[in-house]
Amino acid sequence: MEALNGATIFWLITLGMIAGALVKVVMWKSTVDIVPNIVFGVLGTLIVGGITISLSLPGGLLFAFIGTLAILFIINVFNQPESSPEATH
């Protein structure tokens, strides 16, 4: 059984960074930049992984990865590009 200690938090952060970069590589031109993807990936893994580990569910890192992919999908799909004044002509 996993515990929420320093090693688990390290792996959650690493998993979030990898997931954020992976989403940016897969959805290259139609997403937000790489830094927000990585930040939201890390936040997603920490939140989802922390919840699953605190509830003592098995496979906390797997649930964290799947939950992070869902969060990153929502953020990237519903991203509204900023329209510049020059584009309205």
Side-chain angles (χ1 to χ4, degrees), residues 2-89:
E2 297 175 17
L4 196 58
N5 53 17
T8 306
I9 292 172
F10 169 77
W11 285 112
L12 287 172
I13 291 171
T14 304
L15 188 65
M17 292 174 76
I18 291 170
L22 183 69
V23 166
K24 181 60 182 173
V25 168
V26 170
M27 302 174 70
W28 183 249
K29 295 198 183 240
S30 63
T31 63
V32 296
D33 291 332
I34 193 162
V35 174
N37 269 334
I38 291 175
V39 169
F40 283 117
V42 169
L43 289 175
T45 55
L46 289 175
I47 292 170
V48 176
I51 290 171
T52 56
I53 291 171
S54 66
L55 292 175
S56 299
L57 295 174
L61 291 176
L62 178 65
F63 278 120
F65 183 70
I66 293 170
T68 300
L69 288 179
I71 290 170
L72 288 172
F73 176 77
I74 291 170
I75 288 171
N76 285 302
V77 167
F78 293 113
N79 176 34
Q80 296 293 324
E82 296 178 16
S83 60
S84 62
E86 295 84 26
T88 57
H89 287 80

